[in-house]
Amino acid sequence: LSADGAMFKMWTPGSWTLDFTATAGSAVIGGEVKGNSTGAGTQPTVAVANSSTAVAGGPATFTAEVTGADNANVSSYSWYPSKSASLNLSLVDAISGESSSKLTVAHVSPAVVGKYYFASAVVDGFTIYSAKGVQLDANVEIKDVAFKSCLADRAGLTSFTAVAMAGFRTSPAKKPIDCSGMAITSIDGIQYLSKNIGSLDLSHNNISDVSPFLASANSPFFETVPVNLSYNAVTSVAPLASDSTLLSKTGTKPKIDLSHNKIAPLGPGVT
């Protein structure tokens, strides 16, 4: 009984489980349940299994479901994205407009990779939460075989999932990566790579598209990592020209070396 005389309902749940799965598109990734917990009257905890992954650039769908005797009594779900592996409701808000058991992240980009997603379910008017979240990860498809080989053999990258690439550290620390002269034509996928490397030498290849550098999380790749793209097939740096500071010089060296490319003029004041 509350102070104003209203009667509170005591909730006595039946046997239930909270299943937390992740899917890519409409198919369950690997058929693997992300987390499963059971309880009888206590808040569930979700034990996160090894991540099955979506494909970087594509969608990822998470599913949370209360099963068992109380399944018919679930009125809604909520979803909470967090940078932390534990849920702190004072720091995160539920995603607006999402009340079903499925949450689709339409585009797995560098900006969202690594986030944890938590679910809650309202059962008979009471809310239960997943105590652990599922981390959003994705397989990064680096289609240029030579570029992938360089990252594996010369940089030491052993896993090509987005979370692994974002957390990559060279050994020794800040090691320069030399991918020069390998007949590389595409650097797509570099946007997921950690900026914790000393420098990246891509000179003497056949690279024409520089836009993947701009898709890195937080800031363009070469704002942090010196990149050598000299002697390539770049004909336009128009994607970079929207921010003139990207092509400015630090000391006597450009942030990105584009010398010896047949680049079309960008106009007055841009070099």
Side-chain angles (χ1 to χ4, degrees), residues 53-93:
T53 53
V55 176
T61 300
F62 296 100
T63 303
E65 182 181 8
V66 176
T67 60
D70 288 303
N71 185 47
N73 300 324
V74 178
S75 57
S76 66
Y77 293 85
S78 295
W79 292 91
Y80 304 85
S82 173
K83 293 181 180 179
S84 171
S86 58
L87 179 61
N88 186 334
L89 291 173
S90 66
L91 299 178
V92 299
D93 295 319

PDB file of all heavy atoms in Angstrom, residues 53-93:
ATOM      1  N   THR A  53      29.130 -12.455 -35.887  1.00  0.00           N
ATOM      2  CA  THR A  53      29.205 -11.082 -36.365  1.00  0.00           C
ATOM      3  C   THR A  53      28.456 -10.845 -37.662  1.00  0.00           C
ATOM      4  O   THR A  53      28.251 -11.739 -38.467  1.00  0.00           O
ATOM      5  CB  THR A  53      30.675 -10.683 -36.587  1.00  0.00           C
ATOM      6  OG1 THR A  53      31.291 -11.666 -37.425  1.00  0.00           O
ATOM      7  CG2 THR A  53      31.429 -10.597 -35.287  1.00  0.00           C
ATOM      8  N   ALA A  54      28.036  -9.590 -37.832  1.00  0.00           N
ATOM      9  CA  ALA A  54      27.431  -9.142 -39.079  1.00  0.00           C
ATOM     10  C   ALA A  54      28.550  -8.733 -40.035  1.00  0.00           C
ATOM     11  O   ALA A  54      29.728  -8.923 -39.749  1.00  0.00           O
ATOM     12  CB  ALA A  54      26.499  -7.967 -38.793  1.00  0.00           C
ATOM     13  N   VAL A  55      28.165  -8.138 -41.152  1.00  0.00           N
ATOM     14  CA  VAL A  55      29.145  -7.658 -42.123  1.00  0.00           C
ATOM     15  C   VAL A  55      29.216  -6.144 -42.028  1.00  0.00           C
ATOM     16  O   VAL A  55      28.186  -5.461 -42.048  1.00  0.00           O
ATOM     17  CB  VAL A  55      28.768  -8.083 -43.552  1.00  0.00           C
ATOM     18  CG1 VAL A  55      29.745  -7.500 -44.562  1.00  0.00           C
ATOM     19  CG2 VAL A  55      28.751  -9.605 -43.658  1.00  0.00           C
ATOM     20  N   ALA A  56      30.408  -5.622 -41.895  1.00  0.00           N
ATOM     21  CA  ALA A  56      30.591  -4.180 -41.777  1.00  0.00           C
ATOM     22  C   ALA A  56      29.949  -3.470 -42.957  1.00  0.00           C
ATOM     23  O   ALA A  56      30.098  -3.890 -44.107  1.00  0.00           O
ATOM     24  CB  ALA A  56      32.087  -3.844 -41.710  1.00  0.00           C
ATOM     25  N   GLY A  57      29.222  -2.404 -42.666  1.00  0.00           N
ATOM     26  CA  GLY A  57      28.524  -1.663 -43.703  1.00  0.00           C
ATOM     27  C   GLY A  57      27.092  -2.118 -43.901  1.00  0.00           C
ATOM     28  O   GLY A  57      26.280  -1.403 -44.492  1.00  0.00           O
ATOM     29  N   GLY A  58      26.751  -3.303 -43.395  1.00  0.00           N
ATOM     30  CA  GLY A  58      25.399  -3.833 -43.523  1.00  0.00           C
ATOM     31  C   GLY A  58      24.619  -3.683 -42.231  1.00  0.00           C
ATOM     32  O   GLY A  58      25.068  -3.031 -41.289  1.00  0.00           O
ATOM     33  N   PRO A  59      23.434  -4.305 -42.145  1.00  0.00           N
ATOM     34  CA  PRO A  59      22.621  -4.202 -40.942  1.00  0.00           C
ATOM     35  C   PRO A  59      22.971  -5.270 -39.913  1.00  0.00           C
ATOM     36  O   PRO A  59      23.558  -6.298 -40.242  1.00  0.00           O
ATOM     37  CB  PRO A  59      21.197  -4.418 -41.476  1.00  0.00           C
ATOM     38  CG  PRO A  59      21.400  -5.372 -42.617  1.00  0.00           C
ATOM     39  CD  PRO A  59      22.728  -4.996 -43.241  1.00  0.00           C
ATOM     40  N   ALA A  60      22.604  -5.005 -38.674  1.00  0.00           N
ATOM     41  CA  ALA A  60      22.687  -6.006 -37.613  1.00  0.00           C
ATOM     42  C   ALA A  60      21.411  -5.899 -36.798  1.00  0.00           C
ATOM     43  O   ALA A  60      20.985  -4.801 -36.455  1.00  0.00           O
ATOM     44  CB  ALA A  60      23.909  -5.774 -36.727  1.00  0.00           C
ATOM     45  N   THR A  61      20.797  -7.024 -36.513  1.00  0.00           N
ATOM     46  CA  THR A  61      19.548  -7.026 -35.760  1.00  0.00           C
ATOM     47  C   THR A  61      19.728  -7.792 -34.466  1.00  0.00           C
ATOM     48  O   THR A  61      20.188  -8.932 -34.471  1.00  0.00           O
ATOM     49  CB  THR A  61      18.401  -7.662 -36.577  1.00  0.00           C
ATOM     50  OG1 THR A  61      18.211  -6.923 -37.772  1.00  0.00           O
ATOM     51  CG2 THR A  61      17.106  -7.660 -35.784  1.00  0.00           C
ATOM     52  N   PHE A  62      19.362  -7.161 -33.368  1.00  0.00           N
ATOM     53  CA  PHE A  62      19.404  -7.800 -32.058  1.00  0.00           C
ATOM     54  C   PHE A  62      17.990  -8.194 -31.650  1.00  0.00           C
ATOM     55  O   PHE A  62      17.027  -7.493 -31.942  1.00  0.00           O
ATOM     56  CB  PHE A  62      19.991  -6.852 -31.019  1.00  0.00           C
ATOM     57  CG  PHE A  62      21.421  -6.475 -31.266  1.00  0.00           C
ATOM     58  CD1 PHE A  62      21.742  -5.267 -31.838  1.00  0.00           C
ATOM     59  CD2 PHE A  62      22.437  -7.350 -30.943  1.00  0.00           C
ATOM     60  CE1 PHE A  62      23.061  -4.914 -32.079  1.00  0.00           C
ATOM     61  CE2 PHE A  62      23.760  -7.018 -31.179  1.00  0.00           C
ATOM     62  CZ  PHE A  62      24.072  -5.799 -31.745  1.00  0.00           C
ATOM     63  N   THR A  63      17.883  -9.313 -30.948  1.00  0.00           N
ATOM     64  CA  THR A  63      16.582  -9.794 -30.495  1.00  0.00           C
ATOM     65  C   THR A  63      16.637 -10.136 -29.021  1.00  0.00           C
ATOM     66  O   THR A  63      17.540 -10.830 -28.565  1.00  0.00           O
ATOM     67  CB  THR A  63      16.155 -11.051 -31.276  1.00  0.00           C
ATOM     68  OG1 THR A  63      16.125 -10.758 -32.668  1.00  0.00           O
ATOM     69  CG2 THR A  63      14.782 -11.530 -30.828  1.00  0.00           C
ATOM     70  N   ALA A  64      15.672  -9.640 -28.278  1.00  0.00           N
ATOM     71  CA  ALA A  64      15.525  -9.999 -26.871  1.00  0.00           C
ATOM     72  C   ALA A  64      14.131 -10.568 -26.681  1.00  0.00           C
ATOM     73  O   ALA A  64      13.155 -10.030 -27.206  1.00  0.00           O
ATOM     74  CB  ALA A  64      15.724  -8.785 -25.974  1.00  0.00           C
ATOM     75  N   GLU A  65      14.032 -11.669 -25.942  1.00  0.00           N
ATOM     76  CA  GLU A  65      12.720 -12.293 -25.789  1.00  0.00           C
ATOM     77  C   GLU A  65      12.595 -12.922 -24.410  1.00  0.00           C
ATOM     78  O   GLU A  65      13.488 -13.632 -23.949  1.00  0.00           O
ATOM     79  CB  GLU A  65      12.514 -13.360 -26.860  1.00  0.00           C
ATOM     80  CG  GLU A  65      11.152 -14.019 -26.803  1.00  0.00           C
ATOM     81  CD  GLU A  65      10.981 -15.088 -27.872  1.00  0.00           C
ATOM     82  OE1 GLU A  65      11.982 -15.406 -28.533  1.00  0.00           O
ATOM     83  OE2 GLU A  65       9.858 -15.592 -28.009  1.00  0.00           O
ATOM     84  N   VAL A  66      11.479 -12.659 -23.768  1.00  0.00           N
ATOM     85  CA  VAL A  66      11.137 -13.351 -22.531  1.00  0.00           C
ATOM     86  C   VAL A  66      10.326 -14.572 -22.922  1.00  0.00           C
ATOM     87  O   VAL A  66       9.275 -14.445 -23.546  1.00  0.00           O
ATOM     88  CB  VAL A  66      10.324 -12.451 -21.587  1.00  0.00           C
ATOM     89  CG1 VAL A  66       9.898 -13.242 -20.350  1.00  0.00           C
ATOM     90  CG2 VAL A  66      11.124 -11.234 -21.178  1.00  0.00           C
ATOM     91  N   THR A  67      10.815 -15.742 -22.594  1.00  0.00           N
ATOM     92  CA  THR A  67      10.112 -16.974 -22.963  1.00  0.00           C
ATOM     93  C   THR A  67       9.648 -17.701 -21.713  1.00  0.00           C
ATOM     94  O   THR A  67      10.094 -17.412 -20.597  1.00  0.00           O
ATOM     95  CB  THR A  67      11.028 -17.902 -23.777  1.00  0.00           C
ATOM     96  OG1 THR A  67      12.173 -18.244 -22.994  1.00  0.00           O
ATOM     97  CG2 THR A  67      11.492 -17.227 -25.059  1.00  0.00           C
ATOM     98  N   GLY A  68       8.754 -18.636 -21.901  1.00  0.00           N
ATOM     99  CA  GLY A  68       8.247 -19.390 -20.767  1.00  0.00           C
ATOM    100  C   GLY A  68       6.858 -18.929 -20.375  1.00  0.00           C
ATOM    101  O   GLY A  68       6.111 -18.362 -21.177  1.00  0.00           O
ATOM    102  N   ALA A  69       6.505 -19.142 -19.131  1.00  0.00           N
ATOM    103  CA  ALA A  69       5.144 -18.885 -18.664  1.00  0.00           C
ATOM    104  C   ALA A  69       4.728 -17.433 -18.803  1.00  0.00           C
ATOM    105  O   ALA A  69       3.546 -17.128 -18.943  1.00  0.00           O
ATOM    106  CB  ALA A  69       5.006 -19.331 -17.207  1.00  0.00           C
ATOM    107  N   ASP A  70       5.704 -16.494 -18.745  1.00  0.00           N
ATOM    108  CA  ASP A  70       5.373 -15.078 -18.762  1.00  0.00           C
ATOM    109  C   ASP A  70       5.470 -14.440 -20.138  1.00  0.00           C
ATOM    110  O   ASP A  70       5.280 -13.241 -20.284  1.00  0.00           O
ATOM    111  CB  ASP A  70       6.294 -14.303 -17.806  1.00  0.00           C
ATOM    112  CG  ASP A  70       5.955 -14.601 -16.353  1.00  0.00           C
ATOM    113  OD1 ASP A  70       4.801 -14.387 -15.983  1.00  0.00           O
ATOM    114  OD2 ASP A  70       6.847 -15.065 -15.635  1.00  0.00           O
ATOM    115  N   ASN A  71       5.734 -15.228 -21.160  1.00  0.00           N
ATOM    116  CA  ASN A  71       5.919 -14.650 -22.475  1.00  0.00           C
ATOM    117  C   ASN A  71       4.688 -13.874 -22.938  1.00  0.00           C
ATOM    118  O   ASN A  71       4.800 -12.807 -23.543  1.00  0.00           O
ATOM    119  CB  ASN A  71       6.251 -15.748 -23.492  1.00  0.00           C
ATOM    120  CG  ASN A  71       6.579 -15.189 -24.858  1.00  0.00           C
ATOM    121  OD1 ASN A  71       7.341 -14.253 -24.970  1.00  0.00           O
ATOM    122  ND2 ASN A  71       5.983 -15.765 -25.887  1.00  0.00           N
ATOM    123  N   ALA A  72       3.513 -14.400 -22.655  1.00  0.00           N
ATOM    124  CA  ALA A  72       2.277 -13.744 -23.102  1.00  0.00           C
ATOM    125  C   ALA A  72       2.012 -12.448 -22.354  1.00  0.00           C
ATOM    126  O   ALA A  72       1.175 -11.645 -22.766  1.00  0.00           O
ATOM    127  CB  ALA A  72       1.091 -14.698 -22.931  1.00  0.00           C
ATOM    128  N   ASN A  73       2.730 -12.237 -21.243  1.00  0.00           N
ATOM    129  CA  ASN A  73       2.480 -11.062 -20.413  1.00  0.00           C
ATOM    130  C   ASN A  73       3.455  -9.914 -20.667  1.00  0.00           C
ATOM    131  O   ASN A  73       3.434  -8.919 -19.954  1.00  0.00           O
ATOM    132  CB  ASN A  73       2.542 -11.448 -18.925  1.00  0.00           C
ATOM    133  CG  ASN A  73       1.507 -12.501 -18.573  1.00  0.00           C
ATOM    134  OD1 ASN A  73       0.401 -12.486 -19.107  1.00  0.00           O
ATOM    135  ND2 ASN A  73       1.873 -13.414 -17.690  1.00  0.00           N
ATOM    136  N   VAL A  74       4.314 -10.055 -21.679  1.00  0.00           N
ATOM    137  CA  VAL A  74       5.244  -8.981 -22.014  1.00  0.00           C
ATOM    138  C   VAL A  74       4.498  -7.913 -22.806  1.00  0.00           C
ATOM    139  O   VAL A  74       3.894  -8.198 -23.838  1.00  0.00           O
ATOM    140  CB  VAL A  74       6.433  -9.506 -22.849  1.00  0.00           C
ATOM    141  CG1 VAL A  74       7.356  -8.353 -23.235  1.00  0.00           C
ATOM    142  CG2 VAL A  74       7.201 -10.559 -22.073  1.00  0.00           C
ATOM    143  N   SER A  75       4.523  -6.686 -22.327  1.00  0.00           N
ATOM    144  CA  SER A  75       3.808  -5.608 -23.024  1.00  0.00           C
ATOM    145  C   SER A  75       4.721  -4.799 -23.940  1.00  0.00           C
ATOM    146  O   SER A  75       4.264  -4.247 -24.941  1.00  0.00           O
ATOM    147  CB  SER A  75       3.129  -4.680 -22.018  1.00  0.00           C
ATOM    148  OG  SER A  75       4.085  -4.140 -21.115  1.00  0.00           O
ATOM    149  N   SER A  76       6.007  -4.720 -23.619  1.00  0.00           N
ATOM    150  CA  SER A  76       6.924  -3.952 -24.470  1.00  0.00           C
ATOM    151  C   SER A  76       8.366  -4.242 -24.081  1.00  0.00           C
ATOM    152  O   SER A  76       8.644  -4.794 -23.006  1.00  0.00           O
ATOM    153  CB  SER A  76       6.654  -2.445 -24.350  1.00  0.00           C
ATOM    154  OG  SER A  76       6.956  -2.002 -23.036  1.00  0.00           O
ATOM    155  N   TYR A  77       9.242  -3.845 -24.993  1.00  0.00           N
ATOM    156  CA  TYR A  77      10.680  -3.938 -24.756  1.00  0.00           C
ATOM    157  C   TYR A  77      11.289  -2.549 -24.918  1.00  0.00           C
ATOM    158  O   TYR A  77      10.707  -1.679 -25.566  1.00  0.00           O
ATOM    159  CB  TYR A  77      11.340  -4.884 -25.758  1.00  0.00           C
ATOM    160  CG  TYR A  77      10.938  -6.334 -25.621  1.00  0.00           C
ATOM    161  CD1 TYR A  77       9.785  -6.814 -26.229  1.00  0.00           C
ATOM    162  CD2 TYR A  77      11.731  -7.222 -24.896  1.00  0.00           C
ATOM    163  CE1 TYR A  77       9.419  -8.147 -26.124  1.00  0.00           C
ATOM    164  CE2 TYR A  77      11.374  -8.562 -24.780  1.00  0.00           C
ATOM    165  CZ  TYR A  77      10.218  -9.011 -25.392  1.00  0.00           C
ATOM    166  OH  TYR A  77       9.857 -10.333 -25.279  1.00  0.00           O
ATOM    167  N   SER A  78      12.469  -2.367 -24.357  1.00  0.00           N
ATOM    168  CA  SER A  78      13.239  -1.145 -24.579  1.00  0.00           C
ATOM    169  C   SER A  78      14.686  -1.537 -24.851  1.00  0.00           C
ATOM    170  O   SER A  78      15.145  -2.606 -24.432  1.00  0.00           O
ATOM    171  CB  SER A  78      13.175  -0.207 -23.362  1.00  0.00           C
ATOM    172  OG  SER A  78      11.862   0.265 -23.162  1.00  0.00           O
ATOM    173  N   TRP A  79      15.386  -0.635 -25.534  1.00  0.00           N
ATOM    174  CA  TRP A  79      16.771  -0.903 -25.921  1.00  0.00           C
ATOM    175  C   TRP A  79      17.668   0.238 -25.482  1.00  0.00           C
ATOM    176  O   TRP A  79      17.315   1.403 -25.584  1.00  0.00           O
ATOM    177  CB  TRP A  79      16.871  -1.080 -27.437  1.00  0.00           C
ATOM    178  CG  TRP A  79      16.188  -2.330 -27.905  1.00  0.00           C
ATOM    179  CD1 TRP A  79      14.898  -2.466 -28.316  1.00  0.00           C
ATOM    180  CD2 TRP A  79      16.772  -3.629 -27.980  1.00  0.00           C
ATOM    181  NE1 TRP A  79      14.636  -3.763 -28.647  1.00  0.00           N
ATOM    182  CE2 TRP A  79      15.772  -4.501 -28.455  1.00  0.00           C
ATOM    183  CE3 TRP A  79      18.043  -4.131 -27.706  1.00  0.00           C
ATOM    184  CZ2 TRP A  79      16.006  -5.861 -28.661  1.00  0.00           C
ATOM    185  CZ3 TRP A  79      18.267  -5.480 -27.914  1.00  0.00           C
ATOM    186  CH2 TRP A  79      17.266  -6.330 -28.388  1.00  0.00           C
ATOM    187  N   TYR A  80      18.867  -0.135 -24.997  1.00  0.00           N
ATOM    188  CA  TYR A  80      19.797   0.848 -24.449  1.00  0.00           C
ATOM    189  C   TYR A  80      21.191   0.639 -25.045  1.00  0.00           C
ATOM    190  O   TYR A  80      21.817  -0.399 -24.816  1.00  0.00           O
ATOM    191  CB  TYR A  80      19.890   0.708 -22.926  1.00  0.00           C
ATOM    192  CG  TYR A  80      18.566   0.810 -22.209  1.00  0.00           C
ATOM    193  CD1 TYR A  80      17.748  -0.307 -22.065  1.00  0.00           C
ATOM    194  CD2 TYR A  80      18.135   2.015 -21.680  1.00  0.00           C
ATOM    195  CE1 TYR A  80      16.530  -0.218 -21.419  1.00  0.00           C
ATOM    196  CE2 TYR A  80      16.920   2.118 -21.020  1.00  0.00           C
ATOM    197  CZ  TYR A  80      16.115   0.994 -20.890  1.00  0.00           C
ATOM    198  OH  TYR A  80      14.909   1.090 -20.252  1.00  0.00           O
ATOM    199  N   PRO A  81      21.703   1.590 -25.816  1.00  0.00           N
ATOM    200  CA  PRO A  81      23.083   1.490 -26.306  1.00  0.00           C
ATOM    201  C   PRO A  81      24.039   2.096 -25.288  1.00  0.00           C
ATOM    202  O   PRO A  81      23.737   3.108 -24.657  1.00  0.00           O
ATOM    203  CB  PRO A  81      23.050   2.333 -27.585  1.00  0.00           C
ATOM    204  CG  PRO A  81      22.003   3.369 -27.321  1.00  0.00           C
ATOM    205  CD  PRO A  81      20.993   2.754 -26.397  1.00  0.00           C
ATOM    206  N   SER A  82      25.178   1.472 -25.111  1.00  0.00           N
ATOM    207  CA  SER A  82      26.126   1.955 -24.106  1.00  0.00           C
ATOM    208  C   SER A  82      27.554   1.699 -24.569  1.00  0.00           C
ATOM    209  O   SER A  82      27.826   0.723 -25.275  1.00  0.00           O
ATOM    210  CB  SER A  82      25.881   1.233 -22.772  1.00  0.00           C
ATOM    211  OG  SER A  82      26.874   1.552 -21.822  1.00  0.00           O
ATOM    212  N   LYS A  83      28.461   2.554 -24.147  1.00  0.00           N
ATOM    213  CA  LYS A  83      29.879   2.335 -24.423  1.00  0.00           C
ATOM    214  C   LYS A  83      30.485   1.343 -23.434  1.00  0.00           C
ATOM    215  O   LYS A  83      31.595   0.853 -23.638  1.00  0.00           O
ATOM    216  CB  LYS A  83      30.641   3.658 -24.356  1.00  0.00           C
ATOM    217  CG  LYS A  83      30.262   4.643 -25.456  1.00  0.00           C
ATOM    218  CD  LYS A  83      31.066   5.922 -25.342  1.00  0.00           C
ATOM    219  CE  LYS A  83      30.690   6.903 -26.449  1.00  0.00           C
ATOM    220  NZ  LYS A  83      31.467   8.172 -26.339  1.00  0.00           N
ATOM    221  N   SER A  84      29.756   1.064 -22.367  1.00  0.00           N
ATOM    222  CA  SER A  84      30.253   0.197 -21.306  1.00  0.00           C
ATOM    223  C   SER A  84      29.607  -1.176 -21.382  1.00  0.00           C
ATOM    224  O   SER A  84      28.481  -1.335 -21.856  1.00  0.00           O
ATOM    225  CB  SER A  84      29.967   0.829 -19.940  1.00  0.00           C
ATOM    226  OG  SER A  84      30.253  -0.073 -18.891  1.00  0.00           O
ATOM    227  N   ALA A  85      30.320  -2.184 -20.866  1.00  0.00           N
ATOM    228  CA  ALA A  85      29.789  -3.539 -20.853  1.00  0.00           C
ATOM    229  C   ALA A  85      28.787  -3.759 -19.733  1.00  0.00           C
ATOM    230  O   ALA A  85      28.198  -4.835 -19.618  1.00  0.00           O
ATOM    231  CB  ALA A  85      30.936  -4.540 -20.727  1.00  0.00           C
ATOM    232  N   SER A  86      28.586  -2.770 -18.885  1.00  0.00           N
ATOM    233  CA  SER A  86      27.575  -2.853 -17.840  1.00  0.00           C
ATOM    234  C   SER A  86      26.597  -1.696 -18.004  1.00  0.00           C
ATOM    235  O   SER A  86      26.972  -0.609 -18.441  1.00  0.00           O
ATOM    236  CB  SER A  86      28.214  -2.820 -16.447  1.00  0.00           C
ATOM    237  OG  SER A  86      28.967  -1.642 -16.266  1.00  0.00           O
ATOM    238  N   LEU A  87      25.353  -1.936 -17.657  1.00  0.00           N
ATOM    239  CA  LEU A  87      24.298  -0.954 -17.878  1.00  0.00           C
ATOM    240  C   LEU A  87      24.173  -0.008 -16.688  1.00  0.00           C
ATOM    241  O   LEU A  87      23.978  -0.435 -15.562  1.00  0.00           O
ATOM    242  CB  LEU A  87      22.958  -1.663 -18.116  1.00  0.00           C
ATOM    243  CG  LEU A  87      21.738  -0.771 -18.340  1.00  0.00           C
ATOM    244  CD1 LEU A  87      21.925   0.104 -19.575  1.00  0.00           C
ATOM    245  CD2 LEU A  87      20.476  -1.619 -18.483  1.00  0.00           C
ATOM    246  N   ASN A  88      24.294   1.288 -16.965  1.00  0.00           N
ATOM    247  CA  ASN A  88      24.081   2.318 -15.958  1.00  0.00           C
ATOM    248  C   ASN A  88      22.967   3.229 -16.476  1.00  0.00           C
ATOM    249  O   ASN A  88      23.190   4.059 -17.342  1.00  0.00           O
ATOM    250  CB  ASN A  88      25.369   3.115 -15.720  1.00  0.00           C
ATOM    251  CG  ASN A  88      25.229   4.106 -14.576  1.00  0.00           C
ATOM    252  OD1 ASN A  88      24.127   4.565 -14.258  1.00  0.00           O
ATOM    253  ND2 ASN A  88      26.350   4.458 -13.950  1.00  0.00           N
ATOM    254  N   LEU A  89      21.779   3.058 -15.937  1.00  0.00           N
ATOM    255  CA  LEU A  89      20.618   3.770 -16.452  1.00  0.00           C
ATOM    256  C   LEU A  89      20.688   5.272 -16.229  1.00  0.00           C
ATOM    257  O   LEU A  89      19.952   6.033 -16.854  1.00  0.00           O
ATOM    258  CB  LEU A  89      19.344   3.217 -15.821  1.00  0.00           C
ATOM    259  CG  LEU A  89      18.970   1.800 -16.264  1.00  0.00           C
ATOM    260  CD1 LEU A  89      17.801   1.274 -15.450  1.00  0.00           C
ATOM    261  CD2 LEU A  89      18.638   1.766 -17.745  1.00  0.00           C
ATOM    262  N   SER A  90      21.589   5.720 -15.359  1.00  0.00           N
ATOM    263  CA  SER A  90      21.746   7.163 -15.148  1.00  0.00           C
ATOM    264  C   SER A  90      22.586   7.798 -16.248  1.00  0.00           C
ATOM    265  O   SER A  90      22.628   9.021 -16.374  1.00  0.00           O
ATOM    266  CB  SER A  90      22.387   7.436 -13.779  1.00  0.00           C
ATOM    267  OG  SER A  90      23.718   6.947 -13.736  1.00  0.00           O
ATOM    268  N   LEU A  91      23.242   6.961 -17.065  1.00  0.00           N
ATOM    269  CA  LEU A  91      24.131   7.486 -18.106  1.00  0.00           C
ATOM    270  C   LEU A  91      23.603   7.253 -19.519  1.00  0.00           C
ATOM    271  O   LEU A  91      24.081   7.876 -20.464  1.00  0.00           O
ATOM    272  CB  LEU A  91      25.517   6.849 -17.982  1.00  0.00           C
ATOM    273  CG  LEU A  91      26.274   7.100 -16.673  1.00  0.00           C
ATOM    274  CD1 LEU A  91      27.611   6.354 -16.689  1.00  0.00           C
ATOM    275  CD2 LEU A  91      26.511   8.596 -16.451  1.00  0.00           C
ATOM    276  N   VAL A  92      22.647   6.353 -19.670  1.00  0.00           N
ATOM    277  CA  VAL A  92      22.140   6.041 -21.003  1.00  0.00           C
ATOM    278  C   VAL A  92      20.626   6.188 -21.049  1.00  0.00           C
ATOM    279  O   VAL A  92      19.940   6.037 -20.035  1.00  0.00           O
ATOM    280  CB  VAL A  92      22.532   4.608 -21.448  1.00  0.00           C
ATOM    281  CG1 VAL A  92      24.036   4.458 -21.508  1.00  0.00           C
ATOM    282  CG2 VAL A  92      21.919   3.569 -20.535  1.00  0.00           C
ATOM    283  N   ASP A  93      20.115   6.496 -22.213  1.00  0.00           N
ATOM    284  CA  ASP A  93      18.675   6.599 -22.430  1.00  0.00           C
ATOM    285  C   ASP A  93      18.223   5.494 -23.374  1.00  0.00           C
ATOM    286  O   ASP A  93      18.985   5.027 -24.221  1.00  0.00           O
ATOM    287  CB  ASP A  93      18.318   7.963 -23.043  1.00  0.00           C
ATOM    288  CG  ASP A  93      18.619   9.112 -22.107  1.00  0.00           C
ATOM    289  OD1 ASP A  93      18.343   8.978 -20.901  1.00  0.00           O
ATOM    290  OD2 ASP A  93      19.146  10.140 -22.590  1.00  0.00           O
TER     291      ASP A  93
END
